[in-house]
Amino acid sequence: MLFALICKDKPGSLQMRLDTRPEHVAFLEGLNGDKKLAFAGPFLDADGRPNGSLVVVETPDLASARALSAADPYAKAGLFESIEIRQWNWTFNKPAAS
């Protein structure tokens, strides 16, 4: 199942995001290597600065998606004001299975 992790940064937390980014990227690379990451990227504010994240993961259930979300270094650092986890269906432009 696919789950979208919709994460909103706490106000004024850009430096925390920048400081934690290397660990976050390594975490996502690990998920990608384990074939658990569908795609990911930051939300941007009006000035083009990151202020949240969209991470879509493939897990067997909601509990597993919650566990992955909690393991993200951004979450561990306290970057996020909120995290919404929703089951998601990739309908259009889904890459062909390799």
Side-chain angles (χ1 to χ4, degrees), residues 43-62:
F43 290 110
L44 304 175
D45 67 14
D47 296 319
R49 293 181 302 237
N51 66 353
S53 299
L54 172 62
V55 179
V56 177
V57 295
E58 186 159 356
T59 63
D61 52 39
L62 179 58

Side-chain angles (χ1 to χ4, degrees), residues 24-96:
H24 170 72
V25 169
F27 173 75
L28 293 180
E29 287 173 346
L31 291 180
N32 198 45
D34 292 340
K35 307 252 188 263
K36 294 179 181 176
L37 179 67
F39 60 86
F43 290 110
L44 304 175
D45 67 14
D47 296 319
R49 293 181 302 237
N51 66 353
S53 299
L54 172 62
V55 179
V56 177
V57 295
E58 186 159 356
T59 63
D61 52 39
L62 179 58
S64 299
R66 284 185 179 137
L68 281 181
S69 176
D72 185 328
Y74 279 168
K76 287 181 173 183
L79 175 65
F80 299 132
E81 176 177 86
S82 65
I83 302 171
E84 181 180 4
I85 302 175
R86 300 186 61 183
Q87 190 172 349
W88 188 70
N89 183 30
W90 197 331
T91 304
F92 291 98
N93 297 323
K94 183 176 181 180

